Structure formats: C-alpha cells, structure tokens
Amino acid sequence: MIDPHEAWRLLEPHLAPTPSLETPRPQALGRVLARSLSATVDVPAADVSAMDGYALAPPEPGESESPIPLRPLVGESLAGSPPSFSVPPGAAARIMTGAIVPEGTDRVLPVERTRPHDGRPHDEEADPSSPLGATPGAWGEYAQERVELAVMPPAGANIRRQGEVLRRGAPLLEAGHGLSPGALALLAAHGYSQVPIHRPPSIRLLVTGDEVIPPEETPAGGQLRDTHSDFLLAAARTLGLEIEPLGIVGDDEAALDQAVARGLEADLFLLTGGVSAGQRDLVPAALQRHGVRTLFHKVAIQPAKPLFAGLREGPPRALVFGLPGNPASAIVAFWLYLRPVLRRLLGAEDSYLQGLRHGVLESPLPGAKGRDRFLPARVHTVDGQTLCTPVAPAGSHDIAAYAQGSALVRIPAHAAPRDAGEACEILSLADEREG
C-alpha cells in the first residue's frame, strides 16, 4: 500500500498535455490555451471618448476662468463612424462614448457638466472673422447651436488613448491560460475565430463483474445495477469530456482480454471492479498480459484503497486506471486522482488534493486510523465562512451517503475525532453558494 502523495508523484511524469488542436472559439470554453496569443489590434484602436459629452478644442485665452464663454458646436462624433470634420479653436463637437475624438480637440467634458443654448437666429449672418467661417450655416445643422461649459477640463480629460490597454503584437494570453467567458470575449475582440487548445483525451470505460447488470434491468439474487458508468460519464462532462462506454464484461479471461485490447486504444482507459485481492479479480493480470506496467496498486486512502494505475507505453500509449467496484470508492478515486489527471492532460495545473481548503465543522467528525479518510459532506458558505456537515456512510458501498455531498471532508491518517466548531479540511465538488 502506497502513500497517497507518493502515488501522485508516480503519475506526474506521465501527464504531459495532449497535442494542440484548433477549435472554434465558442467551443473553447473551459479549455486551456495550448500556445500564447498576441494582440492583433491596438486597444482602443484610436483616441476615443470615455463618455457622452463634448469634445473641446484647447482653451482660448480667458477660458480657464469662470464664466467660460459659450462654445459653438461644429459637428457630432458617433461611435462606429469616424468624424469627417475638424474642430477649430474656440469650438466644440458633440461626442458619444466610444466615438473617435475629432481632429483639433484634446479633451472631453461630460454632458452633465454642460448646458445647451440655441444661439443666434437662423437668419443672422455669420461673423466673417469667426473661426467658424464666413457664411451662414457653414457647419450645417450645428451652425446655430452653442454649449455652456461648467468647467474647462484639463488636456486629455475623459479620452481613452489609442493602444493604452494593448498595443498590436503585445502578449494577449499566455499558454496555459484557462479560457473563461472573459478570455473568450478578449479573443473575440482580437478576431480569433479558431483557438489553439489541448486536444481532449480519448477515454474508454469498461465495467467488469459477473454480478453487474445495466441500470435498466431488474437485479436477481446477488446482482447489482451498474452505477459506475453514470457517475463517470457525468463527472467527465464537468470537464467537457466524453467517455466511450465499452459495456459490461463478466469475470471471463477471454472476454476481458478482448475488451481490454479495445480500451487500450484510447489515451485513458478506465476499468471498474476486479482490482482487489479476490480470486475473481482478474483485471491486473489481464492488463499485464497487454503490456501495461503497474505504477501503483493500493493507496493508503479510505475508501478507494484498491485503486490501480498503470501505463502501456504503446504504440498507442495509454494511461490506465482500475477503479474499485464499490461505488463510494470509485467516486472518491475520481475526485482525488482521475479529475486532476484529466485536467493535467488538458493543460491545466492540478494535483492530488489541490484546492483543499479549510472549513468549520457544524457536527462532529470521526477520527482515522492508518489511512487518510474521506467522507462526504454538505458544505455551504454563510457570512464568508465555509460550514461543513459530514455525512456518515455505512461503508464504501453506501452510494446514498456520497450522493448527498457537495464536498469531501478529509480526515488525515491517525487524526483524532473533532467536535463541532473545530476546523476541518474540505475538497469542494460543487458550487456551495446559498440561494
């Protein structure tokens, strides 16, 4: 029986990420970037306004003091439509958030700090000395409009400068970055329609045992419905992965050998049952006949002690896990080992007990003997504190207890019992937020 941390150390050298695969951006959610990407455009692409208001030419003499003279409007800059005009000294232009700042302006005053004025009558002649031109209506519909400024903002006020967030060619996302919804939005902003991720590993599952029948059938004496398949297929989908079921095979060497040969064609081959020390536990020998080298067999954890891990060098290369037949053991083995293994193959950082954190017990926790013990627990958060209620199973066959838990609570080997109110270690399996 091997220490659980040592078991992970034996696995680590064989967990290189799968090769890169280009995938459509919307399908990359939750994946890990296989190579670094660079910005394809400046962000912002030009000098733009940070808010709705008025783009202003630099102040004229005396405009830095109150009262500020009314400024005539010469145009309007809208988001998505570059302005086709420039703003002369002493003038202003209406501008919307995200619109390009017109030539001749160097600051923006929010609309809340201004007040519009109608200006002169439409039939009034323009002043030939005015910077706005010598003819009435030289600035079209804006020729009669004026704006009153509450203050004269400093140069650069409320302007987002071209490239202030990112310059074209600058690092955008590094290899190994998890592709969250925000990361996909960033990639969309830079025109990446295809995203390099690590190829999802192929996974095959074989359920073994004369006593196991499909869930749709009615058990006869001594028979058990297969629960492993539903759990493992669903658990893999939490990572966006699909498992190919190979069905159920009885305790027959010839049938087992045929099924094992098919399973070893995948990147990861999972078997359930047949890994303990019973006379009909045929899986380790069958794997050995097919060139699978044992990495470890039996880990100092409870439940899931009989867990088997092996490697077939190939070709094709295959990583193999033999999960115990008891349902709770298979569940614990997945969360402790298989899930971090799959995440490593996908390019993410993960390891045994990564994410283990502290909580506070709401009810007593039993102790442990010579193995790390993992019980199901109901966990929730109140006022920022993680509260944990252990669920006592009848044994490793008690799937009902483990189905209730949103976390595993760890009891270290040789730990004494703990009372409610004491600290504990938990590994979350679900979202614990209330409401």
Side-chain angles (χ1 to χ4, degrees):
M1 188 166 58
I2 192 171
D3 175 83
H5 294 278
E6 179 61 24
W8 180 261
R9 285 191 287 270
L10 291 173
L11 283 171
E12 273 195 302
H14 311 291
L15 303 182
T18 55
S20 176
L21 171 71
E22 296 287 326
T23 194
R25 186 186 63 253
Q27 298 176 21
L29 179 64
R31 299 299 191 205
V32 174
L33 203 58
R35 70 170 187 275
S36 299
L37 298 177
S38 301
T40 61
V41 293
D42 288 345
V43 180
D47 290 353
V48 298
S49 177
M51 56 185 59
D52 294 342
Y54 293 88
L56 307 174
E60 296 285 275
E63 278 194 311
S64 59
E65 301 175 0
S66 182
I68 298 171
L70 299 180
R71 281 205 168 194
L73 296 185
V74 300
E76 184 176 48
S77 182
L78 302 175
S81 179
S84 58
F85 59 89
S86 61
V87 177
R94 188 178 292 114
I95 193 166
M96 304 303 163
T97 303
I100 294 177
V101 176
E103 183 181 350
T105 65
D106 69 346
R107 65 201 71 198
V108 171
L109 185 64
V111 67
E112 295 85 359
R113 307 299 306 277
T114 68
R115 186 169 64 182
H117 281 255
D118 290 339
R120 66 177 187 276
H122 282 278
D123 57 357
E124 181 183 332
E125 284 194 15
D127 180 357
S129 65
S130 168
L132 298 181
T135 59
W139 295 96
E141 62 180 298
Y142 303 99
Q144 314 307 322
E145 295 188 45
R146 302 289 187 272
V147 62
E148 179 183 341
L149 312 179
V151 295
M152 176 56 67
N158 302 310
I159 294 177
R160 296 169 179 160
R161 295 299 182 186
Q162 179 175 352
E164 71 177 23
V165 175
L166 280 172
R167 284 287 182 184
R168 181 178 180 179
L172 187 64
L173 292 176
E174 298 294 327
H177 190 95
L179 294 172
S180 64
L184 295 186
L186 178 62
L187 295 178
H190 288 264
Y192 285 101
S193 59
Q194 297 287 315
V195 181
I197 63 168
H198 292 283
R199 173 181 61 78
S202 57
I203 312 169
R204 290 182 175 175
L205 168 65
L206 179 65
V207 177
T208 74
D210 285 339
E211 75 280 15
V212 184
I213 62 171
E216 296 74 23
E217 296 183 12
T218 301
Q223 292 184 323
L224 297 170
R225 289 189 172 104
D226 169 28
T227 60
H228 291 76
S229 294
D230 275 53
F231 168 75
L232 291 169
L233 268 63
R237 289 191 191 108
T238 67
L239 298 174
L241 298 174
E242 295 295 330
I243 293 179
E244 179 185 350
L246 299 182
I248 301 170
V249 64
D251 297 323
D252 175 86
E253 285 190 357
L256 185 59
D257 278 347
Q258 187 176 7
V260 165
R262 288 187 61 203
L264 289 171
E265 295 171 354
D267 297 314
L268 186 67
F269 180 30
L270 307 179
L271 304 95
T272 70
V275 293
S276 293
Q279 193 173 20
R280 302 299 292 169
D281 290 322
L282 307 177
V283 166
L287 293 172
Q288 187 176 18
R289 287 194 295 272
H290 285 79
V292 175
R293 173 169 60 89
T294 300
L295 297 176
F296 61 80
H297 188 192
K298 298 183 180 177
V299 185
I301 55 177
Q302 180 187 0
K305 172 187 171 182
L307 178 64
F308 172 95
L311 180 71
R312 207 274 293 275
E313 299 290 355
R317 180 184 181 276
L319 194 59
V320 182
F321 282 91
L323 306 179
N326 277 319
S329 295
I331 290 172
V332 170
F334 177 87
W335 293 117
L336 296 185
Y337 287 99
L338 288 183
R339 191 175 193 276
V341 162
L342 290 169
R343 281 176 45 79
R344 287 287 287 267
L345 296 179
L346 290 168
E349 287 296 322
D350 212 333
S351 63
Y352 175 73
L353 293 187
Q354 181 167 308
L356 193 71
R357 57 194 181 89
H358 293 289
V360 176
L361 291 169
E362 288 194 294
S363 60
L365 183 69
K369 295 182 180 179
R371 291 181 278 163
D372 277 9
R373 190 177 177 189
F374 294 89
L375 298 184
R378 291 188 291 269
V379 176
H380 62 148
T381 302
V382 177
D383 296 331
Q385 189 174 58
T386 302
L387 303 177
C388 173
T389 302
V391 179
S396 58
H397 61 290
D398 187 357
I399 190 172
Y402 282 84
Q404 294 182 49
S406 60
L408 297 177
V409 57
R410 179 190 181 219
I411 309 171
H414 307 293
R418 299 182 190 182
D419 293 325
E422 293 192 62
C424 63
E425 294 178 311
I426 57 174
L427 186 67
S428 298
L429 310 180
D431 189 346
E432 300 151 7
R433 290 172 296 180
E434 292 187 310

